[in-house]
Amino acid sequence: MKAQKQNIILDSINYLKIFLPLHKEFNTFKHIGQAISDPLKVSYISQGKIKGIKENTGIEISSRPTDDQRNKYFTATTIEKLLKKLFVVNTSDETKKMFEVINNIDDYLKQNLKYNFFVDTDVSGFYSNEPENYNGSCMAGKPESYFKLYDYINEIPTNNVDVQIVGFKSKDIILARGLLWCKTYNKNTICENTGEILKTTTTKEYFLDRIYIHNKLQNSSFAKLQFELFQTIRKYYKVDLLRAFNKTQIESYILHKYDNTSKFIFKCKNSYPSFAVNIEGYEETLSRYPYMDSFKYIDDSEILSIDDSDSVKILDQTNGEYTNASQCCCDECGESVHRDEIVYSELDDQELCEDCFVYVDERGAYANRNNTYYNDYSGVYHYEDDLSRA
């Protein structure tokens, strides 16, 4: 005979009955268990709803509801909201006891999650359909036009770069996800006599960009999911060395969990990619841009990279715009001016426009005009700190 699976959630509720008075509707909540639609929640169905379903549809919710019934008819909610419907709390001790059980059930749900690896090549569609404020991403749920840069990259045959979403999900709930970048290199072996291509060797370089984790798993499974996704990608794509944005967190998890870490750390040497991305002609197609964690600089050769030295655009905005790298904001007045017209004041630790800086001869340095005094007799500026010490 097959053993019945233990319902930890129901057992915890029965335990709480020892300490807290029951709500008058307690016995109307039926078939409490882990939600099918969202495994981080619990679900239930009321006695009245069971009766209504049978009367109106002829469908009977038996003592062992099917997964389809739980998904279709049951109400999914947090364990905290459910317990507040089941029990009456009158004292601080009762509140403490309730939240002790709430935390235990939350931990149980998190630790017993079953999830699968997924790959999604429709990056713009994924981002635009992603729920807001569930994993800390500032771009979730933004208009699809903001993410067309990813589609453009995937459609350019000559850049040999692909980008896609990879991650873990349980049912339809995304637990962890990140961008996986891949650069393909083709090396031809040429015959010295005829000049013909004898063979072509293909190699791939990967970079796992920043991993975002579901808010409910930030504390309990943050590093664990990052490490597991890193390892899963290595196995799935048969990659020996995988560069990863979250290298530090992955190594910290390994150090905490394992004694011998050398082979694990060796597999993630760098937190930045080894390649850049050619996006030639992008301005003819794109009018909106995404915020980027790693590849955020575009230079005048239309190369997208992590190098800011010759950049003309910086993809650091969340509203579909970009920062003009040739423009700089004055720290004093806030005016946007060309970078060549900005000077840096070591005295004030500020970048200042020509209206806000002066040259202090005594110091041989630039200073904020508001922090200086002009000497009408000598025709020079004095730094105010020097005068206060005099």
Side-chain angles (χ1 to χ4, degrees), residues 156-218:
I156 301 177
T158 56
N159 70 5
N160 294 325
V161 174
D162 295 307
V163 57
Q164 54 196 1
I165 297 282
V166 294
F168 291 134
K169 64 181 177 180
S170 180
K171 302 296 182 181
D172 294 326
I173 306 301
I174 305 298
L175 306 180
R177 61 92 172 147
L179 288 168
L180 182 66
W181 301 79
C182 176
K183 172 80 171 182
T184 300
Y185 297 91
N186 295 313
K187 183 178 180 181
N188 295 326
T189 302
I190 308 296
C191 176
E192 294 182 357
N193 297 325
T194 65
E196 295 181 359
I197 299 175
L198 300 177
K199 67 175 182 177
T200 300
T201 303
T202 299
T203 59
K204 295 179 181 292
E205 290 281 346
Y206 290 89
F207 173 68
L208 177 58
D209 219 324
R210 182 177 179 179
I211 302 170
Y212 289 85
I213 306 296
H214 195 295
N215 289 339
K216 288 187 177 180
L217 303 173
Q218 289 285 338

Side-chain angles (χ1 to χ4, degrees), residues 120-339:
D120 195 329
T121 57
D122 182 13
V123 181
S124 61
F126 179 94
Y127 272 121
S128 61
N129 291 312
E130 191 173 36
E132 296 182 42
N133 304 319
Y134 87 99
N135 65 2
S137 171
C138 60
M139 295 305 293
K142 298 288 187 179
E144 190 169 354
S145 60
Y146 287 17
F147 309 103
K148 288 301 181 180
L149 175 61
Y150 298 114
D151 298 339
Y152 187 78
I153 290 169
N154 287 332
E155 291 167 1
I156 301 177
T158 56
N159 70 5
N160 294 325
V161 174
D162 295 307
V163 57
Q164 54 196 1
I165 297 282
V166 294
F168 291 134
K169 64 181 177 180
S170 180
K171 302 296 182 181
D172 294 326
I173 306 301
I174 305 298
L175 306 180
R177 61 92 172 147
L179 288 168
L180 182 66
W181 301 79
C182 176
K183 172 80 171 182
T184 300
Y185 297 91
N186 295 313
K187 183 178 180 181
N188 295 326
T189 302
I190 308 296
C191 176
E192 294 182 357
N193 297 325
T194 65
E196 295 181 359
I197 299 175
L198 300 177
K199 67 175 182 177
T200 300
T201 303
T202 299
T203 59
K204 295 179 181 292
E205 290 281 346
Y206 290 89
F207 173 68
L208 177 58
D209 219 324
R210 182 177 179 179
I211 302 170
Y212 289 85
I213 306 296
H214 195 295
N215 289 339
K216 288 187 177 180
L217 303 173
Q218 289 285 338
N219 295 325
S220 61
S221 305
F222 185 72
K224 174 177 177 287
L225 285 171
Q226 289 181 334
F227 171 70
E228 288 184 0
L229 184 57
F230 171 80
Q231 289 290 76
T232 299
I233 291 169
R234 286 188 57 240
K235 294 176 182 177
Y236 187 85
Y237 292 97
K238 297 179 173 60
V239 181
D240 184 31
L241 300 178
L242 175 60
R243 294 173 179 242
F245 181 98
N246 295 101
K247 173 180 179 288
T248 301
Q249 290 87 344
I250 292 168
E251 288 188 356
S252 295
Y253 177 80
I254 296 168
L255 286 168
H256 178 73
K257 188 174 178 65
Y258 301 100
D259 292 330
N260 182 5
T261 63
S262 58
K263 69 174 183 178
F264 291 100
I265 295 175
F266 174 74
K267 303 304 179 184
C268 185
K269 285 186 174 181
N270 302 103
S271 60
Y272 50 87
S274 62
F275 53 86
V277 184
N278 175 18
I279 54 171
E280 183 179 358
Y282 74 96
E283 289 184 301
E284 300 173 8
T285 302
L286 305 176
S287 60
R288 293 288 184 266
Y289 301 88
Y291 170 90
M292 304 280 268
D293 286 305
S294 298
F295 291 95
K296 63 173 57 183
Y297 302 103
I298 304 175
D299 66 18
D300 54 9
S301 299
E302 300 186 325
I303 298 297
L304 177 68
S305 72
I306 62 171
D307 183 7
D308 66 346
S309 58
D310 296 313
S311 62
V312 294
K313 290 183 176 70
I314 305 173
L315 306 186
D316 60 353
Q317 302 295 313
T318 61
N319 60 355
E321 302 294 329
Y322 60 85
T323 297
N324 191 329
S326 64
Q327 295 294 111
C328 193
C329 184
C330 174
D331 291 332
E332 177 61 25
C333 69
E335 188 71 21
S336 179
V337 297
H338 195 279
R339 181 166 291 279

Side-chain angles (χ1 to χ4, degrees), residues 41-65:
K41 294 182 176 181
V42 295
S43 67
Y44 67 90
I45 189 170
S46 68
Q47 184 64 54
K49 191 171 183 179
I50 292 175
K51 182 179 178 181
I53 291 172
K54 185 175 182 181
E55 291 176 349
N56 295 312
T57 67
I59 297 173
E60 183 173 354
I61 307 296
S62 67
S63 59
R64 300 187 68 180

